[in-house]
Amino acid sequence: MRSEGVTTPFGNADVAVVGGGVIGLATAWRVRQRGLDVVVADRGDLGQGASRAAAGMLAPVAEADLQERELLAANLESARRWPAFAAELAEATGIDVGLRTCGTLLLGRDRDGAEHVDRERDARERLGLPVRRLLGSQARRLEPALAPGLRLALELPDDHAVEPARLVAALVRACTDSGVRLHPHTEVTDLAALPAERVVVAAGAWSAGLGPVPVRPVKGQALRLRDPAGPGLCDRVLRWGPPTPGYLVPRGDGRYYLGATMEERGFDTAVTALGVYELLREAGEVVPGLLELEIDEAFSGLRPGTPDNAPVIGPDPDDPRIVWATGHFRNGILLCPITADLVVGALTGEAPPGAFGRGRFGAERPAAAVQGGAP
Ligand code: FAD
Ligand code: GLY
């Protein structure tokens, strides 16, 4: 039964989604496709939280947490769904989300880097994940802009990328056209007061302010770069490992995304000289030509992290009216298609509670949960 008599800007709904990032928007679209009346409330502009800051890598193999088999399986399955998801969005909206099936190279530029690459390769081969070891010279034949001293590389042929800004635009259009009621600049402070039969919490790094879920912000600083000469510096996603991990994502048109720091600084989103320096210092060692690029933007975003790095998806064990769709940490773009489907399954009762329920954490909640202004 719907709640009555509560004043909100949007009136009653079958499902209220709190948070208009990629997770909330994709979920709302899918739920609406089931014929339910859906409203999305976001306290800021739609898609301007972590979703705006993301690189858009679909990296189930590069970012595999090999200890968390259920998460690995979900990442791989979501990557498998991505081409159909992108095609369906393009069909529904006319917006191309920029899916590039470019593959990825993990680079080891010195001896330590090469050892890291070999460890990563062993671990992935043991699980049957697709990887190919390349000597530095072989990698440079694929990507001539790589530094001459490069020791070793690992090719990850199935790790691709999309453009998050285009994804947000497509999801907003898909929601609008299908009849989802979108309410930007609408903050939700009390889930119980929402006049909706079910409530999906997709509030990203801010989710712990709405209920007992152990989601914390993990800051990432990054740069958008542009080559005035056009595309060609590199074609594949390039990644490098410790001591300062980073990655370069080409958009195929002369724009590049260089990311990203990993910082435990609460809700601080300042872009710092040190953060930008470290990104450029490492990247310049791996792809020296990158230092010639122009900087379009330096920015940061807050990843929604959890204690085990896996998302929280499914009905709340203490209040089944609430369905969580949060905590996607480093892989919310990748996990967007499967999350939306899992939430539909939870709302309709078609899917059994999966491995990502909140119940696995008990009542944990980070101390800083209720801090943090609008993204
Ligand atoms: P968000 O996009 O943060 O959306 C949450 C929304 O909830 C916000 O718009 C916010 O305004 C709203 N909100 C919060 N509280 C309230 C409230 N009380 N009332 C109303 N609205 C509220 N993932 C990948 O898969 N690939 C990548 O390459 C990648 N790179 C990344 C790089 C960086 C630097 C960062 C920071 C993240 C990256 N990620 C990547 C992770 C990805 O961005 C996130 O996992 C994903 O965007 C989470 O989406 P979301 O919709 O849950 O959160
Ligand atoms: N997945 C890339 C990042 O979170 O930085």
PDB file of all heavy atoms in Angstrom, residues 261-277:
ATOM      1  N   THR A 261      43.503   8.785  -8.557  1.00  0.00           N
ATOM      2  CA  THR A 261      44.036   8.520  -7.220  1.00  0.00           C
ATOM      3  C   THR A 261      43.033   7.694  -6.419  1.00  0.00           C
ATOM      4  O   THR A 261      41.860   7.603  -6.778  1.00  0.00           O
ATOM      5  CB  THR A 261      44.311   9.838  -6.465  1.00  0.00           C
ATOM      6  OG1 THR A 261      43.058  10.513  -6.259  1.00  0.00           O
ATOM      7  CG2 THR A 261      45.260  10.736  -7.240  1.00  0.00           C
ATOM      8  N   MET A 262      43.501   7.095  -5.353  1.00  0.00           N
ATOM      9  CA  MET A 262      42.637   6.373  -4.398  1.00  0.00           C
ATOM     10  C   MET A 262      42.957   6.949  -3.029  1.00  0.00           C
ATOM     11  O   MET A 262      44.041   6.715  -2.500  1.00  0.00           O
ATOM     12  CB  MET A 262      42.960   4.881  -4.404  1.00  0.00           C
ATOM     13  CG  MET A 262      42.518   4.165  -5.645  1.00  0.00           C
ATOM     14  SD  MET A 262      40.817   3.587  -5.456  1.00  0.00           S
ATOM     15  CE  MET A 262      41.084   2.180  -4.395  1.00  0.00           C
ATOM     16  N   GLU A 263      42.016   7.706  -2.462  1.00  0.00           N
ATOM     17  CA  GLU A 263      42.314   8.427  -1.224  1.00  0.00           C
ATOM     18  C   GLU A 263      41.168   8.281  -0.227  1.00  0.00           C
ATOM     19  O   GLU A 263      40.006   8.490  -0.579  1.00  0.00           O
ATOM     20  CB  GLU A 263      42.523   9.917  -1.528  1.00  0.00           C
ATOM     21  CG  GLU A 263      43.634  10.194  -2.537  1.00  0.00           C
ATOM     22  CD  GLU A 263      43.651  11.654  -2.966  1.00  0.00           C
ATOM     23  OE1 GLU A 263      43.917  12.522  -2.109  1.00  0.00           O
ATOM     24  OE2 GLU A 263      43.369  11.927  -4.144  1.00  0.00           O
ATOM     25  N   GLU A 264      41.527   7.964   1.006  1.00  0.00           N
ATOM     26  CA  GLU A 264      40.536   7.863   2.089  1.00  0.00           C
ATOM     27  C   GLU A 264      40.498   9.215   2.791  1.00  0.00           C
ATOM     28  O   GLU A 264      41.236   9.455   3.742  1.00  0.00           O
ATOM     29  CB  GLU A 264      40.928   6.754   3.065  1.00  0.00           C
ATOM     30  CG  GLU A 264      41.011   5.365   2.445  1.00  0.00           C
ATOM     31  CD  GLU A 264      39.650   4.672   2.297  1.00  0.00           C
ATOM     32  OE1 GLU A 264      38.630   5.226   2.771  1.00  0.00           O
ATOM     33  OE2 GLU A 264      39.620   3.577   1.700  1.00  0.00           O
ATOM     34  N   ARG A 265      39.679  10.131   2.319  1.00  0.00           N
ATOM     35  CA  ARG A 265      39.628  11.487   2.877  1.00  0.00           C
ATOM     36  C   ARG A 265      38.208  11.925   3.160  1.00  0.00           C
ATOM     37  O   ARG A 265      37.859  13.095   2.993  1.00  0.00           O
ATOM     38  CB  ARG A 265      40.267  12.476   1.909  1.00  0.00           C
ATOM     39  CG  ARG A 265      41.753  12.294   1.754  1.00  0.00           C
ATOM     40  CD  ARG A 265      42.368  13.404   0.944  1.00  0.00           C
ATOM     41  NE  ARG A 265      43.768  13.117   0.691  1.00  0.00           N
ATOM     42  CZ  ARG A 265      44.756  13.379   1.531  1.00  0.00           C
ATOM     43  NH1 ARG A 265      44.487  13.954   2.689  1.00  0.00           N
ATOM     44  NH2 ARG A 265      45.988  13.074   1.233  1.00  0.00           N
ATOM     45  N   GLY A 266      37.368  10.993   3.509  1.00  0.00           N
ATOM     46  CA  GLY A 266      35.983  11.355   3.788  1.00  0.00           C
ATOM     47  C   GLY A 266      35.342  11.991   2.568  1.00  0.00           C
ATOM     48  O   GLY A 266      35.590  11.579   1.431  1.00  0.00           O
ATOM     49  N   PHE A 267      34.536  13.036   2.810  1.00  0.00           N
ATOM     50  CA  PHE A 267      33.795  13.651   1.710  1.00  0.00           C
ATOM     51  C   PHE A 267      34.552  14.814   1.050  1.00  0.00           C
ATOM     52  O   PHE A 267      33.968  15.576   0.289  1.00  0.00           O
ATOM     53  CB  PHE A 267      32.418  14.102   2.199  1.00  0.00           C
ATOM     54  CG  PHE A 267      31.498  12.931   2.465  1.00  0.00           C
ATOM     55  CD1 PHE A 267      31.351  12.405   3.740  1.00  0.00           C
ATOM     56  CD2 PHE A 267      30.818  12.325   1.423  1.00  0.00           C
ATOM     57  CE1 PHE A 267      30.523  11.314   3.977  1.00  0.00           C
ATOM     58  CE2 PHE A 267      29.993  11.228   1.641  1.00  0.00           C
ATOM     59  CZ  PHE A 267      29.841  10.723   2.916  1.00  0.00           C
ATOM     60  N   ASP A 268      35.847  14.915   1.328  1.00  0.00           N
ATOM     61  CA  ASP A 268      36.667  15.954   0.689  1.00  0.00           C
ATOM     62  C   ASP A 268      36.786  15.666  -0.817  1.00  0.00           C
ATOM     63  O   ASP A 268      37.076  14.545  -1.220  1.00  0.00           O
ATOM     64  CB  ASP A 268      38.050  15.928   1.345  1.00  0.00           C
ATOM     65  CG  ASP A 268      39.085  16.665   0.510  1.00  0.00           C
ATOM     66  OD1 ASP A 268      38.738  17.713  -0.049  1.00  0.00           O
ATOM     67  OD2 ASP A 268      40.226  16.176   0.420  1.00  0.00           O
ATOM     68  N   THR A 269      36.533  16.694  -1.637  1.00  0.00           N
ATOM     69  CA  THR A 269      36.662  16.508  -3.091  1.00  0.00           C
ATOM     70  C   THR A 269      37.668  17.484  -3.709  1.00  0.00           C
ATOM     71  O   THR A 269      37.639  17.717  -4.924  1.00  0.00           O
ATOM     72  CB  THR A 269      35.293  16.699  -3.793  1.00  0.00           C
ATOM     73  OG1 THR A 269      34.735  17.939  -3.388  1.00  0.00           O
ATOM     74  CG2 THR A 269      34.339  15.566  -3.482  1.00  0.00           C
ATOM     75  N   ALA A 270      38.553  18.051  -2.878  1.00  0.00           N
ATOM     76  CA  ALA A 270      39.514  19.025  -3.420  1.00  0.00           C
ATOM     77  C   ALA A 270      40.431  18.361  -4.444  1.00  0.00           C
ATOM     78  O   ALA A 270      40.866  17.219  -4.264  1.00  0.00           O
ATOM     79  CB  ALA A 270      40.346  19.597  -2.279  1.00  0.00           C
ATOM     80  N   VAL A 271      40.719  19.090  -5.506  1.00  0.00           N
ATOM     81  CA  VAL A 271      41.733  18.640  -6.466  1.00  0.00           C
ATOM     82  C   VAL A 271      43.055  19.257  -6.017  1.00  0.00           C
ATOM     83  O   VAL A 271      43.150  20.477  -5.850  1.00  0.00           O
ATOM     84  CB  VAL A 271      41.383  19.100  -7.893  1.00  0.00           C
ATOM     85  CG1 VAL A 271      42.472  18.687  -8.868  1.00  0.00           C
ATOM     86  CG2 VAL A 271      40.034  18.525  -8.312  1.00  0.00           C
ATOM     87  N   THR A 272      44.065  18.419  -5.786  1.00  0.00           N
ATOM     88  CA  THR A 272      45.312  18.928  -5.211  1.00  0.00           C
ATOM     89  C   THR A 272      46.464  18.876  -6.211  1.00  0.00           C
ATOM     90  O   THR A 272      46.474  18.036  -7.125  1.00  0.00           O
ATOM     91  CB  THR A 272      45.717  18.099  -3.970  1.00  0.00           C
ATOM     92  OG1 THR A 272      45.997  16.764  -4.391  1.00  0.00           O
ATOM     93  CG2 THR A 272      44.616  18.089  -2.919  1.00  0.00           C
ATOM     94  N   ALA A 273      47.424  19.751  -5.985  1.00  0.00           N
ATOM     95  CA  ALA A 273      48.624  19.752  -6.833  1.00  0.00           C
ATOM     96  C   ALA A 273      49.321  18.398  -6.746  1.00  0.00           C
ATOM     97  O   ALA A 273      49.773  17.856  -7.762  1.00  0.00           O
ATOM     98  CB  ALA A 273      49.554  20.879  -6.380  1.00  0.00           C
ATOM     99  N   LEU A 274      49.383  17.827  -5.540  1.00  0.00           N
ATOM    100  CA  LEU A 274      50.063  16.538  -5.387  1.00  0.00           C
ATOM    101  C   LEU A 274      49.342  15.430  -6.167  1.00  0.00           C
ATOM    102  O   LEU A 274      49.974  14.608  -6.834  1.00  0.00           O
ATOM    103  CB  LEU A 274      50.148  16.158  -3.898  1.00  0.00           C
ATOM    104  CG  LEU A 274      50.846  14.827  -3.608  1.00  0.00           C
ATOM    105  CD1 LEU A 274      52.292  14.846  -4.097  1.00  0.00           C
ATOM    106  CD2 LEU A 274      50.788  14.498  -2.109  1.00  0.00           C
ATOM    107  N   GLY A 275      48.024  15.421  -6.092  1.00  0.00           N
ATOM    108  CA  GLY A 275      47.256  14.393  -6.813  1.00  0.00           C
ATOM    109  C   GLY A 275      47.519  14.480  -8.308  1.00  0.00           C
ATOM    110  O   GLY A 275      47.823  13.467  -8.966  1.00  0.00           O
ATOM    111  N   VAL A 276      47.446  15.680  -8.849  1.00  0.00           N
ATOM    112  CA  VAL A 276      47.642  15.872 -10.292  1.00  0.00           C
ATOM    113  C   VAL A 276      49.092  15.557 -10.665  1.00  0.00           C
ATOM    114  O   VAL A 276      49.371  14.910 -11.676  1.00  0.00           O
ATOM    115  CB  VAL A 276      47.271  17.321 -10.680  1.00  0.00           C
ATOM    116  CG1 VAL A 276      47.666  17.627 -12.113  1.00  0.00           C
ATOM    117  CG2 VAL A 276      45.766  17.536 -10.481  1.00  0.00           C
ATOM    118  N   TYR A 277      50.034  15.978  -9.817  1.00  0.00           N
ATOM    119  CA  TYR A 277      51.458  15.715 -10.077  1.00  0.00           C
ATOM    120  C   TYR A 277      51.721  14.212 -10.152  1.00  0.00           C
ATOM    121  O   TYR A 277      52.394  13.721 -11.060  1.00  0.00           O
ATOM    122  CB  TYR A 277      52.277  16.362  -8.964  1.00  0.00           C
ATOM    123  CG  TYR A 277      53.717  15.937  -8.925  1.00  0.00           C
ATOM    124  CD1 TYR A 277      54.599  16.359  -9.920  1.00  0.00           C
ATOM    125  CD2 TYR A 277      54.196  15.114  -7.910  1.00  0.00           C
ATOM    126  CE1 TYR A 277      55.926  15.955  -9.895  1.00  0.00           C
ATOM    127  CE2 TYR A 277      55.510  14.711  -7.879  1.00  0.00           C
ATOM    128  CZ  TYR A 277      56.378  15.126  -8.876  1.00  0.00           C
ATOM    129  OH  TYR A 277      57.686  14.727  -8.848  1.00  0.00           O
TER     130      TYR A 277
END
